[in-house]
Amino acid sequence: MAFLSSHKEKTKIEVENLLCEYLEAPIGIDSEAPRFRWNMKTDWKESKQKAYYLFVGTDSVAVSKGNGDMWQVDGKKSSKSLVVYNGKQLEPFTKYYWGVQVVDNKNRRSHLALSSFETGMMHQKNWKGFWISDHHDISVKPAPYFRKTYPIKKPIKKAVAYITAAGLYELYVNGQRIGDHRLDPMYTKFDKRNLYVTYDITKVFKQGLVTLGVILGNGWYNHQSTAVWDFDKAAWRNRPRFLLNVRITYADGTTTVLHTDESWKTSLSPIVFNSIYTAEHYNAGKEQLGWDTPEFNDSHWSHSLVVKSPSNNIVAQALKPIKNVEEIKPVSIRKISDSKYIFDLGRNISGVTQLSVKGNKGTTLRLTHSEQLSDSGEIDLSNIDVHYRPKDDLDPFQTDIYTLKGEGLETFMPKFNYKGFQYVELVSNEPIELTKESLTGYFMHSDVDPVGKIESSSDLINKIWAATNASYLSNLFGYPTDCPQREKNGWTGDAHIAIETGLYNYDGITIYEKWLADHRDEQKENGILPSIIPTWGWGYDWGNGPDWTSTIAIIPWQIYQFYGDTRALEINYPNIKKYVDHITSISPKGITDWGLGDWVPVKDKTPKELTSSIYYFVDATILAKTAKLLNKEDDYYTYTQLADKIKRAINDKYLNKETAIYGSGFQTELSAPLYWGVVPEEFKAKVAANLAKKVIKDGKHLNVGLLGTKSILNALSENGYEQLAYEVASQDTFPSWGWWIKNGATTLYENWSIDAKSDISRNHIMFGEIGAWLFKGIGGIFPDTNNPGFKNVILKPHFVNGLEYFNASHHGPYGKIESNWKKTNDKNVDYYVNIPPNSTASVYLKAKEVKLKGKKVKKTKEGDYLVNLTSGKHYFNITL
């Protein structure tokens, strides 16, 4: 083919990071039009992709030679590295290969890079068999086992398992657990949508007898613990159930599907209780060894019960899975007595512990997980069990209970639960000998790839960034949560405040796209969304409103900014429109007080009507911009007019045009209108000056709640007060992020006051905007709305006093962006920039003199510097 390089020289352009649906060589995807993404890699400067060749086919050899029987694009002149499939209809259960080659602006060609993807069910009709459960009702506590042995009489070429469950599952084949995922499938509104997971089990699926085994956990489906949100009253609640298909392709080319039905056998397991909310109890004396192997005698087991499907919508779980991502050893063990020990992991995490122990048969161990110790050094749950409403003492909060079988070294780790903790207290009903090595912690979360990094000369700033990321990950379990212990709820306000923190630091698009589907499932016909998503029904009457549930608009918009991908906006456009229309229907004058307000403020309380109306304006503005992007001109006009109306209404009521003060002049009252674009152009400088005065009056400390943390630092640094913003961000006295760190925090807290009487979780993400602001306000890395996905990078670094150096990097869709500066003395800064191939940058600098590679740069008309860069490494010498 003409596209291939004909010479034998070493190729100097590479194509790497091939992704399909933002996953590497995924299997079991349902998308009829999957997205392909790649990076161009080269050491040459000013490199741009001029054209690309893309091939999709069923034959890997043919694709590698530039022939795609499903779709091919021959030399498309484009710099795009995100392409949507537009070929023949994809078939289910099929592996496709795809390859891409690029040509740069100097006609240099890359090699042809190859990858693959495999379709799953694609359609509901392709499922075989039945959903099954056991014969017990929702009140029965032990988790059920299921098994069936199949004779496989012919050589196997391929075996693929597709499994969905209402509840949680673990899958086994001939005694071997399949995969390393935790807590599958992800939580959804079970009566609207169920997720299935695909496994290639060919390596363990051999000719002969094959036993398939499944353990089911309750998850959010059969919530047996009781708390203020009444999860136990969910309309969908039922005994856990599942549906399994194993599609076998034999060596002779024939196929068959093994599936669940009433012939499967079931029995209760040694997991005598499990709750996603509280803990797990395990009685090793009830183990049935070999239950998932062909040799096991299951004659005493019962036949399974065919049950109703929870919903009629089973779709692929195409997102990064939850895993045990990091192993953490305790930093200390304290022996209180022969039967009581306290372990300290040294940091706050979400996850589980694994215990290895020897003891007598029947010995019962209770492992209580807490975030804090009391003044006397005992385990203290008082900050996280406040919303728990137990009906008895059989389900203690965050307390695993393990009963020994007494046969040498025993190991226990919960299968269907996770917790938020730093400390673990082990209490035994008999004397027991433990060491520091007896316990291991596992940091669990959605296994998203890190894409951002901050390094600075300030140990405090570095610790704040690390603590923010720890809280972000601790609250990512297939959906963003508020805290990993007290609630585990998908609070919408927390999530949209932290969306940029998440996307600057992690490749989280698959998690957010799944969560937006949860939004669509939960949205009422009138447009209302609940304050927690997913939900069984709680949250429609409290805590929602535009200041919280603007997730439906803000998150798709931010995905577009960071990835340059319009799909989230396209899919959710009707939902954003329905939501904005509902607010309009109850807010004819352009002002609304529907919302929760500036949650957990330090002192000053900003009127809820002001903040809710601002988010109403934000939603209408995003809707208008999206309408323009999607060529919906009538909607663009309608919602542009609406946004203007809201903006006028807010300013007419809250802006004093003589003093340029909003409301009482509180930090949130001034910073939120500035940050979100409500302030008229002619008042911006005065409002910003008033904000600076207020912050100085407040001792250069925060005086905001949740909504104010999103705007305060950004409003200052984006309006000429970057030094003041940094001084606020780097405080280590109350109230500040540094105050928490100074008092031993390794994650972010829920309340500025460590000694508060309520809202005192020690692992909350809601105040996490600082993790994004470090990239923006100091490193100066911004996506360009006109060229999103960092196709053009906006760089506005601030060389603040108090830092000697600052390094920020973000791996965007085109590659690694770096914005690093170091002071050589009080007046001079060396600034290093790296722009990945196929992208550009616009660098804005405030300085007396700027040199690029030793040559002076001319000032712009405004007196500042604007330098346009192509890809490559660039070195500035700056005089302040």
Side-chain angles (χ1 to χ4, degrees):
M1 294 291 292
F3 75 92
L4 292 172
S5 301
S6 58
H7 54 77
K8 295 183 179 180
E9 293 180 29
K10 184 178 180 181
T11 303
K12 295 181 180 179
I13 299 177
E14 297 180 15
V15 179
E16 60 180 8
N17 299 328
L18 273 66
L19 301 175
C20 176
E21 287 299 288
Y22 294 93
L23 298 168
E24 185 176 351
I27 66 171
I29 65 168
D30 282 347
S31 176
E32 296 178 353
R35 293 161 289 180
F36 302 118
R37 176 141 242 166
W38 63 87
N39 288 161
M40 183 172 79
K41 181 182 179 182
T42 176
D43 290 333
W44 286 314
K45 296 178 181 178
E46 303 180 6
S47 294
K48 294 182 180 180
Q49 177 185 296
K50 186 174 77 172
Y52 68 87
Y53 297 80
L54 195 147
F55 309 92
V56 182
T58 53
D59 187 323
S60 61
V61 175
V63 170
S64 71
K65 294 180 179 180
N67 292 299
D69 62 333
M70 296 299 294
W71 187 47
Q72 66 182 54
V73 181
D74 292 312
K76 173 77 172 180
K77 290 185 177 181
S78 172
S79 64
K80 288 184 177 179
S81 61
L82 171 64
V83 178
V84 179
Y85 179 78
N86 191 27
K88 297 177 184 178
Q89 181 175 323
L90 299 175
E91 296 297 322
F93 317 120
T94 305
K95 186 169 186 176
Y96 295 98
Y97 300 89
W98 67 285
V100 62
Q101 181 189 41
V102 302
V103 181
D104 78 354
N105 49 318
K106 294 187 178 180
N107 291 321
R108 293 173 294 215
R109 296 173 183 266
S110 74
H111 66 297
L112 180 66
L114 296 174
S115 188
S116 65
F117 66 96
E118 188 172 316
T119 53
M121 289 288 172
M122 298 291 284
H123 301 288
Q124 191 84 9
K125 64 183 181 181
N126 291 321
W127 284 95
K128 306 297 182 184
F130 307 92
W131 285 78
I132 62 172
S133 185
D134 63 7
H135 295 262
H136 298 291
D137 62 26
I138 59 175
S139 63
V140 172
K141 293 182 178 181
Y145 277 148
F146 297 86
R147 59 170 270 125
K148 183 167 182 180
T149 298
Y150 294 89
I152 306 301
K153 299 179 180 180
K154 295 190 292 184
I156 297 290
K157 179 181 179 182
K158 188 173 184 178
V160 181
Y162 307 89
I163 182 169
T164 180
L168 301 169
Y169 73 85
E170 284 191 353
L171 173 65
Y172 296 79
V173 177
N174 281 358
Q176 181 174 331
R177 188 191 165 205
I178 303 302
D180 59 355
H181 298 192
R182 305 296 313 278
L183 305 180
D184 270 342
M186 306 296 179
Y187 179 24
T188 60
K189 184 175 175 63
F190 296 105
D191 53 2
K192 275 286 187 72
R193 190 168 103 264
N194 304 110
L195 303 182
Y196 76 89
V197 184
T198 304
Y199 303 93
D200 187 330
I201 57 173
T202 307
K203 290 182 179 180
V204 296
F205 210 94
K206 304 297 182 182
Q207 188 173 353
L209 293 178
V210 173
T211 298
L212 301 175
V214 171
I215 310 175
L216 290 185
N218 288 319
W220 294 97
Y221 185 62
N222 182 30
H223 214 282
Q224 295 179 320
S225 300
T226 47
V228 296
W229 304 278
D230 292 335
F231 301 123
D232 58 306
K233 297 178 182 177
W236 64 54
R237 187 181 170 195
N238 219 319
R239 183 73 169 164
R241 54 202 56 206
F242 77 106
L243 170 62
L244 171 67
N245 282 192
V246 176
R247 186 177 181 85
I248 302 171
T249 302
Y250 294 105
D252 62 8
T254 59
T255 63
T256 191
V257 177
L258 311 180
H259 58 74
T260 43
D261 56 26
E262 69 277 359
S263 67
W264 277 58
K265 304 293 282 295
T266 182
S267 176
L268 296 180
S269 77
I271 303 174
V272 294
F273 175 78
N274 70 98
S275 167
I276 190 71
Y277 182 64
T278 56
E280 188 164 303
H281 308 166
Y282 189 96
N283 188 339
K286 295 180 178 292
E287 288 180 345
Q288 302 184 56
L289 296 181
W291 70 273
D292 50 358
T293 63
E295 298 78 20
F296 183 77
N297 181 359
D298 63 10
S299 60
H300 60 292
W301 285 32
S302 302
H303 283 283
S304 297
L305 179 68
V306 171
V307 293
K308 184 179 178 181
S309 171
S311 80
N312 294 316
N313 185 25
I314 310 173
V315 299
Q317 181 173 292
L319 66 155
K320 295 294 181 70
I322 299 166
K323 290 186 178 182
N324 284 359
V325 177
E326 183 181 357
E327 180 181 296
I328 301 172
K329 298 293 186 181
V331 296
S332 69
I333 180 175
R334 184 156 50 94
K335 184 176 182 179
I336 309 299
S337 68
D338 287 341
S339 58
K340 184 175 181 180
Y341 299 80
I342 294 179
F343 297 85
D344 179 2
L345 293 187
R347 53 188 280 210
N348 198 334
I349 65 167
S350 60
V352 293
T353 51
Q354 179 174 284
L355 177 68
S356 296
V357 63
K358 292 181 180 179
N360 297 326
K361 181 179 180 180
T363 300
T364 299
L365 310 176
R366 298 166 70 95
L367 295 95
T368 302
H369 301 69
S370 76
E371 292 193 313
Q372 63 187 23
L373 300 177
S374 67
D375 292 340
S376 60
E378 297 291 321
I379 287 291
D380 181 6
L381 296 173
S382 63
N383 69 316
I384 55 174
D385 67 356
V386 292
H387 296 314
Y388 184 34
R389 300 292 183 269
K391 296 179 179 178
D392 52 44
D393 60 358
L394 301 179
D395 179 17
F397 193 66
Q398 292 213 147
T399 302
D400 292 328
I401 301 175
Y402 181 77
T403 302
L404 275 68
K405 59 183 175 183
E407 298 177 6
L409 186 66
E410 302 180 38
T411 301
F412 165 70
M413 182 178 69
K415 297 181 183 297
F416 303 124
N417 168 265
Y418 74 98
K419 308 165 188 72
F421 65 99
Q422 175 174 338
Y423 304 97
V424 182
E425 176 194 74
L426 187 146
V427 176
S428 173
N429 66 343
E430 290 188 17
I432 198 160
E433 195 64 40
L434 299 176
T435 68
K436 194 168 68 172
E437 287 68 39
S438 300
L439 190 94
T440 301
Y442 286 97
F443 190 6
M444 284 172 60
H445 54 78
S446 292
D447 191 21
V448 288
D449 295 323
V451 295
K453 189 173 184 179
I454 296 292
E455 292 179 308
S456 79
S457 58
S458 167
D459 185 55
L460 180 63
I461 289 295
N462 297 338
K463 287 182 177 180
I464 290 172
W465 175 72
T468 303
N469 283 351
S471 279
Y472 178 78
L473 293 174
S474 294
N475 286 289
L476 206 64
F477 279 79
Y479 65 108
T481 68
D482 60 330
C483 56
Q485 9 68 6
R486 191 188 68 207
E487 297 192 31
K488 300 183 172 79
N489 281 322
W491 277 97
T492 49
D494 304 46
H496 75 68
I497 293 295
I499 179 64
E500 288 180 278
T501 290
L503 296 183
Y504 271 113
N505 286 288
Y506 297 98
D507 181 19
I509 185 172
T510 60
I511 309 298
Y512 287 112
E513 288 190 335
K514 177 267 180 188
W515 196 47
L516 287 167
D518 296 331
H519 278 64
R520 298 192 295 275
D521 286 345
E522 300 289 3
Q523 189 172 35
K524 299 283 191 182
E525 190 59 37
N526 63 2
I528 291 178
L529 289 159
S531 52
I532 60 171
I533 295 174
T535 180
W536 70 270
W538 191 94
Y540 288 99
D541 300 318
W542 189 88
N544 54 344
D547 55 354
W548 243 247
T549 40
S550 285
T551 41
I552 191 62
I554 290 174
I555 288 181
W557 183 254
Q558 288 296 345
I559 288 173
Y560 172 61
Q561 297 304 301
F562 277 78
Y563 290 89
D565 189 335
T566 60
R567 180 165 290 184
L569 287 171
E570 292 166 357
I571 293 175
N572 294 286
Y573 183 82
N575 306 87
I576 304 169
K577 186 175 178 180
K578 188 185 293 186
Y579 185 62
V580 170
D581 287 348
H582 173 73
I583 306 172
T584 302
S585 72
I586 61 173
S587 313
K589 295 182 180 180
I591 295 286
T592 180
D593 67 351
W594 180 34
L596 197 54
D598 199 19
W599 193 246
V600 193
V602 174
K603 184 179 178 181
D604 295 342
K605 296 182 179 180
T606 293
K608 181 175 59 174
E609 184 183 71
L610 174 58
T611 49
S612 288
S613 297
I614 288 172
Y615 277 97
Y616 176 27
F617 166 77
V618 171
D619 297 340
T621 301
I622 290 173
L623 183 55
K625 290 179 179 178
T626 304
K628 183 71 171 178
L629 185 69
L630 303 181
N631 298 313
K632 299 177 183 293
E633 292 298 328
D634 289 345
D635 279 0
Y636 170 65
Y637 175 79
T638 297
Y639 293 105
T640 298
Q641 295 295 109
L642 175 61
D644 290 343
K645 174 184 175 180
I646 301 166
K647 183 175 180 177
R648 286 194 305 272
I650 294 171
N651 287 320
D652 287 346
K653 182 163 185 179
Y654 284 97
L655 174 60
N656 184 323
K657 295 181 179 179
E658 292 183 3
T659 62
I661 289 176
Y662 283 81
S664 301
F666 297 154
Q667 288 187 21
T668 299
E669 288 178 308
L670 295 170
S671 64
L674 267 174
Y675 175 68
W676 291 112
V678 172
V679 181
E681 192 65 35
E682 65 270 25
F683 288 96
K684 282 185 179 179
K686 291 182 179 179
V687 173
N690 284 327
L691 173 61
K693 290 176 184 176
K694 171 59 175 169
V695 171
I696 292 170
K697 184 180 178 181
D698 288 331
K700 299 183 181 179
H701 279 73
L702 295 163
N703 193 354
V704 296
L706 170 62
L707 304 179
T709 57
K710 182 68 182 180
S711 57
I712 181 65
L713 299 180
N714 294 296
L716 289 170
S717 60
E718 292 173 14
N719 289 279
Y721 296 95
E722 60 273 8
Q723 182 61 43
L724 181 58
Y726 174 71
E727 290 174 19
V728 173
S730 59
Q731 291 285 357
D732 65 358
T733 53
F734 174 81
S736 66
W737 291 278
W739 173 240
W740 296 334
I741 301 299
K742 189 177 179 179
N743 281 274
T746 58
T747 47
L748 302 187
Y749 289 178
E750 187 187 8
N751 202 310
W752 300 113
S753 174
I754 295 171
D755 299 321
K757 300 302 181 184
S758 63
D759 304 308
I760 48 176
S761 156
R762 294 195 175 200
N763 196 347
H764 246 68
I765 189 53
M766 71 179 192
F767 289 132
E769 165 61 15
I770 191 169
W773 178 80
L774 291 170
F775 287 89
K776 296 181 289 183
I778 307 297
I781 301 175
F782 294 86
D784 183 346
T785 298
N786 296 319
N787 294 279
F790 297 98
K791 181 65 174 173
N792 184 63
V793 184
I794 302 294
L795 293 174
K796 296 181 177 180
H798 289 132
F799 315 117
V800 296
N801 296 328
L803 289 176
E804 295 304 312
Y805 67 87
F806 190 88
N807 299 333
S809 65
H810 172 72
H811 200 291
Y814 295 92
K816 190 175 184 180
I817 302 158
E818 293 178 90
S819 177
N820 302 339
W821 56 261
K822 182 178 182 180
K823 293 178 181 176
T824 55
N825 55 48
D826 291 344
K827 297 295 182 181
N828 294 281
V829 177
D830 290 338
Y831 180 44
Y832 164 74
V833 171
N834 181 63
I835 304 302
N838 204 26
S839 58
T840 56
S842 301
V843 185
Y844 298 82
L845 298 168
K846 292 182 178 181
K848 288 183 179 179
E849 182 180 86
V850 174
K851 292 180 181 180
L852 176 58
K853 297 177 185 176
K855 296 182 180 180
K856 286 186 179 181
V857 177
K858 291 183 179 180
K859 286 187 176 182
T860 60
K861 293 180 181 179
E862 292 76 17
D864 295 329
Y865 292 87
L866 168 59
V867 184
N868 294 312
L869 301 176
T870 55
S871 65
K873 299 175 181 178
H874 306 273
Y875 299 89
F876 292 87
N877 303 112
I878 299 168
T879 302
L880 301 178

